[in-house]
Amino acid sequence: MKISLNSAFKNLIKLSAVGAIATMSFSSVATSPVPNQFERPNMISSHSFTQESYQEIEQAKMFPKPTENQVQHILSLSKRGDEASYKVEIQIGQNKMVDCNQHRLMGKIEKQNLQGWGYSYYTLDKLTDGPSTMMMCREPKTAKFVTLGQSITIDYDSRLPKVFYLPEGAELRYRIWQVKSDYQYTGNQ
């Protein structure tokens, strides 16, 4: 009885090893390839200019030059056939060393109209430290992008650049959102 249990145990170990190898072989064949992030075309090109480094860009030449202590950020969107399926999310903030609390910045961003053209751009005159939670933090401070309130979401429109005037030290970051589903209906279907 002892010998048959011993041999049954050995057979079970062998079968487990064969099963593990077969599973690993199958899973390596069955996994989908990782998409290459560099194959996607860059949909946005960006430029930043201070009053001293200002260069006129053809598609944004009608916008005013940045004033002293101000940085002009220009986002140029590439043309797409399905632009209604995209949105651009904009966040304004600063990279700061912060503790574990939730931190925010304060400032008022305003949408301005370019006189005589009907185009719009965004301005932010001042950016200051805002409220934060007051938890006790044991971990050391870490670098984090601290934002000004909520994000700005704008339609993807390649006909005009998106122009922002921010105080020096403020940073603008952006990302593109794409619709992946069709509309759903409420009520009787």
Side-chain angles (χ1 to χ4, degrees), residues 1-182:
M1 174 96 166
K2 199 176 206 184
I3 296 172
S4 66
L5 282 177
N6 228 358
S7 86
F9 184 67
K10 286 181 184 178
N11 286 338
L12 181 63
I13 291 175
K14 287 178 187 176
L15 286 174
S16 297
V18 170
I21 291 170
T23 303
M24 286 188 282
S25 298
F26 176 72
S27 65
S28 66
V29 173
T31 58
S32 61
V34 176
N36 184 350
Q37 65 183 359
F38 300 109
E39 288 179 3
R40 294 187 327 178
N42 189 9
M43 296 174 70
I44 297 180
S45 61
S46 63
H47 303 279
S48 298
F49 301 111
T50 62
Q51 187 179 31
E52 295 80 28
S53 69
Y54 181 77
Q55 296 176 12
E56 189 173 279
I57 294 179
E58 182 62 31
Q59 69 266 27
K61 65 183 179 184
M62 70 287 291
F63 291 96
K65 295 178 182 177
T67 60
E68 189 176 342
N69 299 323
Q70 190 179 59
V71 179
Q72 178 189 45
H73 297 265
I74 303 169
L75 301 178
S76 301
L77 285 59
S78 62
K79 187 163 180 56
R80 300 193 53 83
D82 55 348
E83 291 185 2
S85 296
Y86 293 91
K87 298 277 186 187
V88 180
E89 179 184 7
I90 309 289
Q91 287 185 335
I92 297 169
Q94 292 177 327
N95 282 315
K96 293 181 163 259
M97 294 297 289
V98 294
D99 58 18
C100 69
N101 287 292
Q102 296 294 321
H103 296 268
R104 290 280 183 198
L105 297 174
M106 289 179 33
K108 185 177 180 187
I109 190 150
E110 295 183 16
K111 188 174 182 178
Q112 307 283 335
N113 286 319
L114 187 58
Q115 293 296 327
W117 292 84
Y119 302 158
S120 58
Y121 60 93
Y122 298 87
T123 60
L124 174 66
D125 291 330
K126 190 168 73 170
L127 192 61
T128 59
D129 287 335
S132 73
T133 56
M134 302 289 284
M135 299 184 299
M136 184 176 90
C137 300
R138 295 177 191 262
E139 303 86 24
K141 290 184 176 185
T142 58
K144 184 177 178 186
F145 187 76
V146 180
T147 61
L148 168 71
Q150 297 295 317
S151 300
I152 301 168
T153 304
I154 54 179
D155 291 335
Y156 190 103
D157 183 3
S158 63
R159 294 175 295 173
L160 294 173
K162 311 306 176 216
V163 180
F164 297 82
Y165 295 90
L166 307 177
E168 288 182 339
E171 296 181 44
L172 183 141
R173 69 180 187 176
Y174 55 88
R175 63 181 170 179
I176 297 174
W177 290 85
Q178 181 182 13
V179 174
K180 295 280 188 179
S181 64
D182 295 325

